Amino acid sequence: MRSLAELEQLKRHAQKELGVRGIGGYCRATFIVHMGTDGIAAGAREVLLAILDELKRLGIHDCRVTQTDVTGFGMKPPVVDVVTPGHRVETYTGVSPEGVRKIVAESLVESRVAAV
Amino acid sequence: MAKVKLTIDGREIEAEQGSTVLEAARQAGIDIPTLCYHPAVGPSGACRVCVVEVERAKTLVASCVYPVAEGLVVKTNSARVRNARKTVVELLISTHPQDCLCCDRNGRCELQALANRLGIRTERFRAQKPQREPDASSVSIYRDQNKCVLCGRCVTMCRDIQGVGAISFAYRGQRTLISPSFEHGVGEVECVNCGQCTKVCPVGAIVEKDETGAVWDALDNPGLTVVVQVAPAVRAALGEEFGMAPGTSVTGKLVRALHMLGFDAVFDTQFSADLTIMEEGHEFLSRLKSGGKLPLLTSCSPGWIKYCETFHPEFLDNISTCKSPQQMMGAVIKSYYAKAKGLKPENIFSVSVMPCTAKKYEARRPEMRASGVQDVDAVLTTRELAKMIRMAGIDFANLEDDDFDSPLGESSGAGTIFGVTGGVMEAALRSVYEIVTKKPLADLEFTQVRGFEGVREAEIAMGSTRVKVAIVHGLGNAGRFLAGLRPGDSPYHFVEVMACPGGCIMGGGQPLSLEQDVAEKRASVLYQEDRNKAVRKSHENIAVRRLYDEFLGKPGSELAHKLLHTTYGERARARVEEARRQAVIGAAGA
Amino acid sequence: MGVLYRAHVLVCGGAGCVSSGCRAVQEALKSELAKQGLDKEIKVVETGCMGSCDLGPVMVVYPEGVFYRKVRPEDARDIVQEHLLKGRPVERLLYHTSQREIIQQMEDIDFFAKQRKVVLRNCGIIDPEDITEYIARDGYEALARVLTEMTPEEVIDVVKKSGLRGRGGAGFPTGLKWEFCAKATGRPKYVVCNADEGDPGAFMDRSVLEGDPHSVIEAMAIAGRAIGSNQGFVYVRAEYPLAIQRLKHAIAQAYDYGLLGKDIFGTGFDFDLEIRVGAGAFVCGEETALLASIEGKRGMPRPRPPFPANEGLWGKPTLINNVETYANIPPIILNGWEWFAGIGTEKSKGTKVFALAGKIANTGLVEVPMGTTLREIVYDIGGGILGGKKFKAAQTGGPSGGCIPAEHLDTPMEYDTLVKLGAMMGSGGLIVMDEGTCMVDIAKFFLQFTQDESCGKCIPCREGTRAMLDILTRITEGRGREGDIELLEHLGTTIKDTALCGLGQTAPNPVLSTIRYFRHEYEAHIREKRCPAGVCAALVHYEILQDKCKRCGLCRRSCPVDAIEETTEAELVAAGVGAAGADMQAAGASQGAISQPASSPKRKPLFINQERCIKCGVCMRECRFQAINRC
Ligand SMILES: Cc1cc2nc3c(=O)[nH]c(=O)nc-3n(C[C@H](O)[C@H](O)[C@H](O)COP(=O)(O)O)c2cc1C
Ligand code: SF4
Ligand code: SF4
Ligand code: SF4
Ligand code: FES
């Protein structure tokens, strides 16, 4: 270790990893995929993987992806809730893996707006 | 040294910076009781008998380790202090065996004195401790752990001053004890039998192995001729056992007492000391001439020999092959003397009185049977002889003088000073000088080699040769000295080593005193006797010359070699051995 | 890197959980994840102790922060399939409060919620074997600042002003100690970490080493810079293999990252760190004994002065601090002394970790601000006394400490207050006792420990603790004498006043403090030969309640020593076994006709021959009518 700057860099890098544990503070958005039985039947798992892929493709680490088993009545599965700072919740229904890219993009723009 | 002012018991006292409260108090005439502290081994703060009250300290402090400081206010005799000391000693004696009447140290025990001084008259805490078998494994020392007060003096002596470390603390709590590694007997480990531990033990937990019984038996046996030899250091200290002041010479009384005890002949180990110089001087000169191993290391101290065999076997070839004076005398008695008297060696019981416990062990080395039987049958320490004299009801202090018997009772002043550190070297130099230079010495007293410095060195011009010598005493010093020496390559020609700090006068079998001024007084006895002698050089001892003429031939002759020289061998170190064994067992188990 | 795990499962890998089987759980979890194809999205991390050891094995699933307790390998399937796949937390593994309320989030559980983590800030949150996780949590930033922006004097000044005091027991001001070492003239100097932790029941130091070893490494390097030392030693007891392994690993990593070794942060500062493993004797935690032990000698204390700060390891100036003390250092440097001094009380700053044990609902490690009351710890965090019993006392400071009775429940836990009460902070052991505890017995228990662990060097400790133990033993065995309490007090104060080291100087505390608060219990043992808590076997009696006894004879058949005998009522009265017994029997005799069970009119009453009875209690367990009483 040669300098404080080097340590800082290492730290930032490491913190991305630990974002999941709420370490390193800031979380841009949380994607909650509804994984009830009907959700899974409708392809929720593929949607979840697609979100992960998309985040990875964009190199974004300060987002969380979690799952829940409740699906609101009358909503068309798969359902994804996106929670952004300020506890704004956006709910997407009938999501397909292909639609994920748009949701991610929107949410991150949203969150940026919200964060300001 | 800077001075500080402190107040002890209301008196303002000046003491040297760096000294302890105990020292300061004693200097001021206030005697604080101690137990674990002994001037020869230094303080350890273990027993807490010496506690005093120091203003602003949270608890009482041990005065033997507490440094003086400017403005310190000390109370040595408050109720709090008296109560604490008394309770501590009461606790100590609560598990102590109650067989004082049968103890070797009865009447001279520091614990008895302490209990008495602190006014202990009841036992509030008596408890039974599991008793342990005494350790009788050594031929020199006898340990009764039940009496041990765990003051640690012996451990410090053995480890720090003698550099041996044969005994140490083991276990914890109530099970704490002093023991050689793995609870071996002290005779089974690297103990070198020096007996210094017996001199610091405040109680009867480490004492010399008693041989008075065997000697009484021999004296009572009409079929045996019982002869005795006495080492030089004995006469310089025996008087102390009978209340005489340190520094009193008791040579004549000693001989008289031995005659009274019934010994058939009383010989002087100083005779064989002269003989040793003849042989060792011869050996030194031939090594010097023929380019033999140098430096030559002296061999009169059996504790040192065992130490070297155990810890520094790389120097064994440097040690003189000469036996010690005790063993030379033993061999001569059972050969030359036996022949002269028409006695069979096995009908002679040969006793020696020594300042030394290691001699007990030396006498039993398998090499020491030149006459075909054990050359020296029993070895008494100065302390044991005193016991016999007391037992026989002899009023020692008022005895008339008597003379040693011939032919082995004659000695030179050189033989006399063997008993003090530097003495062997001085004796050797007196003879070697004259033999090398073929000129008489102008001044016999080599004061450069005298004194009590742990390691001393001197350079003596002998004609064209300059002989570089060193004198070392105390095995800790010896160890450090050897560590700085390489066997083949050293500036020294001749080195005297004595196991006991101070030499034989302070040997492990001497009356219990390790104070420096006592050492000096005992030394002065020997130097005075030397000065009083008509003959002061070993090679001028007529009786020794006669021994060569009539019997041995020349120094270094074949017969001399057979009777007066010996061999050494490397000794395993118990701890190392045991550790290895344990490792093997461990590995096998895993 | 580069893989984003959507979830982290943190499995507690503290020694407590390891012994309750967390390794098997971890394995099961990993194989189940692999089976479900989730191993690329979900990461399993072994952390240090999370503190709630009685609930172990425990785990937390992030990002939700769901806390599972008492997880068995069989549960792995449900956790993966239900929770990690479908987002349904496995309810049966969640924490239940005593009111049967289910709590999902770790931070909502009282045990965790009421704590304030400074020392344990990373324990249970990061992977102790991954230095980058420590770095992510600001690790080594304090060291970087110390080396690049601060002078040694400034560092010492910050530590001094923070008010931090040694957590190893005595509470000596840490900054002052650092200053002494910095001013000492000998060279080289050494930095030592005391991780001997011999106090039975304490395990905060172990948890820090297991869960956050880098915090200690970083702090020791900071200390090295502050006092001018380039060599450190961590002295860990051999009984802590996991701590040793994690620490070893962490030291190696720190060397790899250039955070130990030569020229740290390019500042020219070198610091080397070695582990020394101790044989695990309690006394080796005493600083001078510890130093002797590092030097390869027998671990025996020596008198001070000279203090280690001036003459320590190999006679050189040596700084010795406790693990927990060190763990406080990096946050103090990073957050400033004002921050630290803002926590706690006037004379005791910061937090303290306690090891809660005994008759309390939640046991484990808790970290609270200094000055938190005993009541808050016992009731709010500890969940109160087990089985709804009454609190009797708490022992703080382990075998060196003392007890705090119920009337002092509102005592703030801080150094000086505890000492005033005859207890002490010690290393932070906190044993809670309920009404069923005999205080004489407890005192005896602790004294037995110290007398076994006495190094044997000094007389007051070696012989004095034994003498006290002898007296306590006879009291608990019904052979106590008038004057024994006073003798104990006399011995106790003398030992405290004369012993060489802290072990002996504190050994009488448990006895003196129980005498102080529960003298009547001692008196009951001595005068009435009665153990009020019914613990001391020799003082316990079993007796048959004649009015409840059906004379079925079951007890009589089960007694291993035939101590239960038949007798006539007249004989029974004549025998008069104890006042209580006689009363009972008298009552039984007068109402004999009424209480005589119809089924066995001819059977004679039974009674227990007290001389024969060995107090095994079998009769009481066998009796189906609760007719046997223990008192
Ligand atoms: C018998 C005894 C046992 C001790 N055990 C420990 C221990 O296990 N850990 C510890 O840190 N300090 C222990 N100490 C205290 C140390 O001697 C020393 O005061 C401490 O390590 C200093 O560190 P601190 O100032 O950070 O507390 C013990 C003291 C005594 C008398
Ligand atoms: S006789 Fe000498 S070597 Fe042997 S134990 Fe005693 S002091 Fe040590
Ligand atoms: S044997 Fe003697 S000197 Fe050695 S510790 Fe015991 S009492 Fe002290
Ligand atoms: S107080 Fe106990 S542990 Fe400490 S030195 Fe004395 S005997 Fe040893
Ligand atoms: S003489 Fe001072 S402690 Fe023993």
Side-chain angles (χ1 to χ4, degrees):
Chain A
M1 195 68 59
R2 305 297 305 175
S3 67
L4 192 55
E6 204 180 318
L7 185 74
E8 278 297 327
Q9 201 183 346
L10 193 66
K11 174 174 167 181
R12 274 197 302 277
H13 200 76
Q15 281 183 343
K16 289 178 185 166
E17 268 282 307
L18 296 192
V20 176
R21 281 175 240 167
I23 293 173
Y26 190 63
C27 171
R28 268 210 263 175
T30 305
F31 298 87
I32 305 171
V33 186
H34 295 227
M35 300 273 274
T37 318
D38 51 342
I40 291 180
R45 171 122 183 90
E46 288 69 29
V47 169
L48 185 143
L49 289 174
I51 297 173
L52 287 175
D53 278 347
E54 180 61 11
L55 289 174
K56 189 172 161 189
R57 193 180 67 79
L58 297 172
I60 290 170
H61 292 278
D62 43 3
C63 288
R64 292 185 197 166
V65 183
T66 76
Q67 65 291 72
T68 176
D69 67 332
V70 287
T71 297
F73 288 110
M75 282 197 271
K76 183 171 179 280
V79 179
V80 177
D81 287 338
V82 183
V83 186
T84 46
H87 291 285
R88 292 166 43 118
V89 184
E90 208 69 50
T91 304
Y92 299 86
T93 56
V95 183
S96 67
E98 298 70 38
V100 159
R101 184 175 288 197
K102 188 165 147 271
I103 294 174
V104 169
E106 272 181 22
S107 313
L108 295 183
V109 173
E110 282 284 310
S111 72
R112 226 170 274 134
V113 174
V116 172
Chain B
M1 260 295 172
K3 298 263 183 192
V4 295
K5 278 209 188 79
L6 67 160
T7 312
I8 304 184
D9 296 341
R11 277 162 55 195
E12 186 149 293
I13 280 165
E14 244 193 11
E16 262 176 32
Q17 179 96 47
S19 62
T20 63
V21 169
L22 176 71
E23 287 162 345
R26 285 193 173 167
Q27 244 163 39
I30 299 166
D31 185 33
I32 298 171
T34 55
L35 179 60
C36 68
Y37 172 71
H38 187 291
V41 295
S44 78
C47 74
R48 321 307 285 173
V49 166
C50 67
V51 286
V52 296
E53 211 175 318
V54 165
E55 213 172 80
R56 278 198 296 276
K58 236 176 30 207
T59 62
L60 298 176
V61 305
S63 61
C64 68
V65 286
Y66 202 83
V68 294
E70 187 65 42
L72 210 62
V73 179
V74 180
K75 281 191 212 153
T76 75
N77 188 29
S78 63
R80 181 174 162 207
V81 165
R82 278 194 310 270
N83 155 63
R85 286 181 190 157
K86 188 170 171 188
T87 305
V88 164
V89 175
E90 280 183 273
L91 284 169
L92 181 60
I93 59 177
S94 69
T95 50
H96 197 81
Q98 288 164 304
D99 57 355
C100 288
L101 290 177
C102 317
C103 180
D104 188 70
R105 292 291 293 274
N106 186 9
R108 289 170 307 149
C109 169
E110 293 181 35
L111 184 56
Q112 280 177 341
L114 199 55
N116 188 29
R117 170 172 171 183
L118 297 179
I120 296 171
R121 293 292 174 268
T122 51
E123 288 206 82
R124 284 189 290 174
F125 313 115
R126 169 91 352 226
Q128 224 51 52
K129 240 188 184 171
Q131 296 294 292
R132 297 179 152 270
E133 270 304 297
D135 173 6
S137 62
S138 165
V139 298
S140 296
I141 64 175
Y142 178 86
R143 300 172 55 242
D144 182 353
Q145 293 168 21
N146 303 314
K147 292 180 179 159
C148 174
V149 297
L150 297 170
C151 67
R153 288 179 185 181
C154 56
V155 174
T156 312
M157 174 54 86
C158 186
R159 181 194 57 210
D160 297 348
I161 298 181
Q162 292 299 67
V164 173
I167 43 178
S168 49
F169 280 94
Y171 307 119
R172 284 197 297 274
Q174 282 295 295
R175 301 190 309 140
T176 310
L177 52 93
I178 305 290
S179 168
S181 46
F182 303 100
E183 284 198 64
H184 281 310
V186 73
E188 300 152 2
V189 296
E190 55 272 67
C191 164
V192 304
N193 306 58
C194 71
Q196 286 300 318
C197 51
T198 68
K199 293 187 58 185
V200 290
C201 184
V203 295
I206 303 193
V207 296
E208 69 275 15
K209 184 69 143 297
D210 186 286
E211 289 186 60
T212 55
V215 175
W216 284 122
D217 286 349
L219 288 169
D220 289 341
N221 185 337
L224 289 176
T225 301
V226 188
V227 298
V228 63
Q229 57 168 313
V230 192
V234 177
R235 66 207 67 182
L238 181 63
E240 294 167 32
E241 286 279 327
F242 299 96
M244 299 160 89
T248 314
S249 165
V250 294
T251 316
K253 294 185 199 308
L254 164 63
V255 178
R256 163 81 37 166
L258 289 168
H259 279 134
M260 287 171 74
L261 285 173
F263 287 99
D264 296 306
V266 180
F267 295 143
D268 197 344
T269 311
Q270 290 178 185
F271 167 88
S272 50
D274 284 334
L275 185 56
T276 304
I277 292 301
M278 299 306 290
E279 291 295 321
E280 199 160 342
H282 174 80
E283 181 184 6
F284 175 61
L285 290 173
S286 68
R287 285 197 192 201
L288 206 56
K289 252 186 246 145
S290 66
K293 267 249 165 97
L294 288 175
L296 181 67
L297 304 175
T298 59
S299 59
C300 340
S301 170
W304 144 244
I305 296 297
K306 194 176 181 193
Y307 174 83
C308 192
E309 290 179 322
T310 312
F311 297 94
H312 290 283
E314 70 276 16
F315 284 102
L316 286 183
D317 291 341
N318 291 70
I319 299 183
S320 162
T321 60
C322 290
K323 286 181 184 172
S324 71
Q326 162 179 279
Q327 292 306 135
M328 287 203 181
M329 179 65 101
V332 169
I333 287 172
K334 288 201 181 175
S335 56
Y336 173 68
Y337 174 76
K339 200 167 141 199
K341 290 280 166 184
L343 292 167
K344 283 202 208 134
E346 49 272 34
N347 290 337
I348 298 177
F349 191 85
S350 179
V351 178
S352 68
V353 183
M354 293 286 142
C356 178
T357 50
K359 297 274 180 198
K360 287 175 183 281
Y361 145 81
E362 183 188 38
R364 290 167 179 85
R365 286 181 68 124
E367 301 89 2
M368 301 303 170
R369 304 171 72 91
S371 60
V373 293
Q374 188 172 312
D375 293 331
V376 176
D377 295 288
V379 179
L380 299 175
T381 60
T382 310
R383 299 194 294 264
E384 285 169 274
L385 176 62
K387 274 190 256 179
M388 290 183 72
I389 293 172
R390 275 194 291 268
M391 210 182 286
I394 295 169
D395 179 9
F396 187 82
N398 294 313
L399 286 182
E400 295 286 320
D401 285 355
D402 199 351
D403 285 328
F404 283 104
D405 297 315
S406 55
L408 309 178
E410 234 162 275
S411 64
S412 75
T416 309
I417 56 174
F418 258 57
V420 55
T421 167
V424 177
M425 181 58 68
E426 185 169 343
L429 289 174
R430 289 181 189 175
S431 292
V432 169
Y433 183 91
E434 295 201 348
I435 294 166
V436 170
T437 61
K438 302 200 175 56
K439 276 188 286 194
L441 256 177
D443 183 3
L444 286 179
E445 297 190 1
F446 287 85
T447 45
Q448 342 48 322
V449 303
R450 296 187 180 183
F452 288 95
E453 267 303 296
V455 177
R456 308 186 292 282
E457 42 183 84
E459 213 172 280
I460 286 107
M462 296 191 183
S464 57
T465 345
R466 294 188 73 80
V467 176
K468 184 143 194 214
V469 303
I471 292 95
V472 187
H473 59 126
L475 291 173
N477 292 329
R480 282 185 287 276
F481 180 79
L482 292 185
L485 215 65
R486 270 174 298 155
D489 169 34
S490 117
Y492 305 103
H493 297 102
F494 199 1
V495 180
E496 175 199 301
V497 190
M498 291 289 159
C500 293
C504 304
I505 47 168
M506 301 305 276
Q510 289 285 72
L512 305 173
S513 176
L514 289 169
E515 272 87 49
Q516 188 50 39
D517 64 316
V518 172
E520 277 158 23
K521 283 180 184 142
R522 289 179 186 172
S524 73
V525 170
L526 297 184
Y527 286 127
Q528 190 56 47
E529 290 216 348
D530 168 36
R531 243 170 273 134
N532 294 345
K533 285 264 186 183
V535 176
R536 297 181 68 189
K537 290 171 265 186
S538 299
H539 59 284
E540 289 175 1
N541 180 333
I542 307 290
V544 169
R545 284 195 180 170
R546 204 181 312 127
L547 174 65
Y548 278 108
D549 293 345
E550 290 175 6
F551 187 63
L552 291 173
K554 282 204 305 257
S557 72
E558 198 176 313
L559 185 58
H561 257 282
K562 176 170 174 278
L563 293 175
L564 309 180
H565 290 253
T566 184
T567 54
Y568 312 108
E570 184 172 351
R571 270 166 207 281
R573 290 176 61 178
R575 199 173 318 187
V576 178
E577 279 290 286
E578 187 67 30
R580 254 188 233 133
R581 211 167 59 84
Q582 296 281 332
V584 171
I585 294 169
Chain C
M1 284 243 218
V3 191
L4 177 72
Y5 290 100
R6 70 175 165 90
H8 288 189
V9 182
L10 272 61
V11 183
C12 176
C17 284
V18 169
S19 63
S20 59
C22 75
R23 288 274 155 81
V25 171
Q26 216 187 109
E27 287 317 308
L29 202 61
K30 281 183 178 159
S31 77
E32 187 61 29
L33 284 172
K35 212 158 93 194
Q36 300 294 330
L38 296 175
D39 49 339
K40 294 271 156 12
E41 319 161 27
I42 292 165
K43 185 176 179 183
V44 178
V45 180
E46 181 177 323
T47 70
C49 181
M50 298 182 186
S52 49
C53 302
D54 58 334
L55 301 177
V58 298
M59 62 171 68
V60 185
V61 180
Y62 285 103
E64 303 93 319
V66 172
F67 177 76
Y68 289 130
R69 94 271 184 269
K70 296 205 192 257
V71 184
R72 288 158 304 145
E74 309 81 277
D75 300 323
R77 202 171 138 260
D78 285 347
I79 293 174
V80 171
Q81 296 199 353
E82 289 297 308
H83 182 166
L84 294 170
L85 200 56
K86 300 183 187 154
R88 286 197 285 255
V90 185
E91 207 165 290
R92 67 167 193 282
L93 299 175
L94 294 175
Y95 178 83
H96 300 249
T97 65
S98 43
Q99 285 81 40
R100 310 243 164 266
E101 209 184 310
I102 296 173
I103 301 186
Q104 246 195 36
Q105 304 290 108
M106 194 166 178
E107 55 266 32
D108 294 338
I109 300 173
D110 274 352
F111 181 80
F112 297 107
K114 307 241 159 134
Q115 300 192 41
R116 167 116 195 219
K117 307 250 183 178
V118 175
V119 171
L120 302 175
R121 61 195 179 278
N122 292 329
C123 285
I125 294 175
I126 64 166
D127 177 354
E129 305 216 336
D130 185 349
I131 190 172
T132 62
E133 296 205 355
Y134 179 68
I135 291 173
R137 299 274 287 159
D138 308 328
Y140 290 104
E141 213 170 301
L143 177 61
R145 286 221 207 137
V146 162
L147 292 183
T148 58
E149 297 167 6
M150 296 169 82
T151 63
E153 294 71 35
E154 282 167 354
V155 177
I156 291 174
D157 196 49
V158 168
V159 177
K160 268 170 81 176
K161 285 192 178 137
S162 75
L164 176 63
R165 292 169 66 173
R167 303 293 194 240
F172 191 82
T174 306
L176 211 55
K177 201 190 266 190
W178 287 29
E179 190 172 55
F180 290 151
C181 290
K183 287 191 176 144
T185 48
R187 294 288 182 281
K189 297 180 183 180
Y190 299 101
V191 174
V192 172
C193 173
N194 186 344
D196 190 59
E197 199 163 56
D199 180 351
F203 57 102
M204 45 292 277
D205 295 349
R206 187 190 71 197
S207 295
V208 171
L209 291 181
E210 284 175 2
D212 194 16
H214 287 287
S215 65
V216 175
I217 298 174
E218 181 180 6
M220 288 181 73
I222 292 172
R225 170 63 150 205
I227 69 155
S229 160
N230 306 101
Q231 174 70 56
F233 294 96
V234 186
Y235 185 90
V236 198
R237 52 175 38 223
E239 286 89 336
Y240 284 179
L242 187 62
I244 294 171
Q245 177 203 319
R246 296 243 170 94
L247 186 62
K248 251 190 202 151
H249 186 88
I251 290 177
Q253 272 189 335
Y255 271 104
D256 276 353
Y257 278 72
L259 294 163
L260 280 177
K262 294 255 169 290
D263 196 18
I264 300 168
F265 286 112
T267 56
F269 174 66
D270 307 336
F271 195 73
D272 287 300
L273 194 55
E274 283 174 38
I275 301 179
R276 289 294 153 98
V277 176
F282 177 54
V283 71
C284 285
E286 194 282 333
E287 55 189 25
T288 60
L290 183 145
L291 297 177
S293 181
I294 292 183
E295 291 175 16
K297 300 188 192 136
R298 175 178 162 94
M300 255 189 177
R302 61 155 176 79
R304 299 172 304 179
F307 288 92
N310 290 312
E311 287 178 40
L313 271 183
W314 297 289
K316 303 297 179 193
T318 302
L319 172 71
I320 173 160
N321 275 131
N322 165 262
V323 172
E324 192 181 329
T325 312
Y326 280 124
N328 275 300
I329 296 292
I332 290 177
I333 300 284
L334 284 182
N335 304 334
W337 63 265
E338 298 89 342
W339 164 79
F340 191 81
I343 311 171
T345 64
E346 190 199 337
K347 290 211 173 118
S348 303
K349 301 296 187 191
T351 61
K352 179 75 195 89
V353 185
F354 291 96
L356 272 186
K359 305 284 172 57
I360 191 164
N362 310 327
T363 61
L365 278 194
V366 303
E367 181 173 358
V368 293
M370 290 274 188
T372 304
T373 64
L374 183 58
R375 187 186 301 281
E376 289 170 276
I377 297 177
V378 170
Y379 289 98
D380 298 350
I381 298 174
I385 306 300
L386 270 183
K389 288 206 183 158
K390 253 175 60 194
F391 172 92
K392 184 169 188 177
Q395 173 87 11
T396 68
S400 321
C403 68
I404 303 175
E407 67 252 40
H408 291 298
L409 260 172
D410 291 310
T411 301
M413 301 290 275
E414 51 176 353
Y415 292 104
D416 311 280
T417 317
L418 288 182
V419 169
K420 260 185 232 125
L421 290 179
M424 65 183 242
M425 184 76 82
S427 53
L430 197 96
I431 301 170
V432 176
M433 295 168 272
D434 67 10
E435 354 165 54
T437 313
C438 167
M439 299 316 280
V440 186
D441 184 60
I442 270 291
K444 189 177 121 198
F445 168 82
F446 284 116
L447 201 66
Q448 177 77 55
F449 176 83
T450 34
Q451 88 101 46
D452 282 342
E453 292 295 327
S454 156
C455 84
K457 180 168 179 169
C458 73
I459 300 169
C461 173
R462 182 184 73 232
E463 305 294 343
T465 54
R466 193 224 66 240
M468 287 182 80
L469 187 63
D470 285 350
I471 297 171
L472 284 175
T473 305
R474 75 174 177 240
I475 293 177
T476 57
E477 287 177 357
R479 296 178 288 113
R481 306 171 198 154
E482 205 51 52
D484 273 355
I485 301 179
E486 291 71 22
L487 201 53
L488 283 172
E489 286 173 324
H490 163 74
L491 272 174
T493 42
T494 307
I495 295 169
K496 280 171 75 90
D497 210 13
T498 53
L500 193 166
C501 84
L503 192 153
Q505 286 166 6
T506 57
N509 286 350
V511 182
L512 295 178
S513 82
T514 47
I515 292 181
R516 175 165 166 188
Y517 297 114
F518 298 94
R519 198 180 186 99
H520 52 278
E521 281 196 31
Y522 282 82
E523 286 166 352
H525 282 75
I526 295 171
R527 296 191 186 144
E528 302 159 33
K529 308 292 175 216
R530 185 172 64 84
C531 173
V535 171
C536 297
L539 299 182
V540 159
H541 300 274
Y542 289 88
E543 55 188 30
I544 295 174
L545 304 174
Q546 297 300 335
D547 54 340
K548 285 194 184 157
C549 175
K550 304 269 185 269
R551 302 185 184 172
C552 69
L554 193 58
C555 56
R556 198 174 169 209
R557 289 191 291 279
S558 62
C559 176
V561 291
D562 294 331
I564 301 180
E565 295 169 3
E566 251 181 9
T567 184
T568 64
E569 276 157 37
E571 276 170 359
L572 203 56
V573 175
V577 252
D583 279 2
M584 198 81 72
Q585 284 137 17
S590 60
Q591 305 162 4
I594 307 160
S595 67
Q596 190 84 287
S599 57
S600 55
K602 272 173 255 130
R603 291 214 186 126
K604 294 181 184 166
L606 298 169
F607 89 110
I608 300 175
N609 181 338
Q610 295 299 339
E611 259 146 51
R612 274 226 192 121
C613 171
I614 55 166
K615 291 153 185 156
C616 66
V618 164
C619 53
M620 190 169 162
R621 285 196 293 280
E622 290 293 321
C623 179
R624 282 185 236 139
F625 309 104
Q626 277 95 47
I628 296 181
N629 188 29
R630 174 188 156 102
C631 58

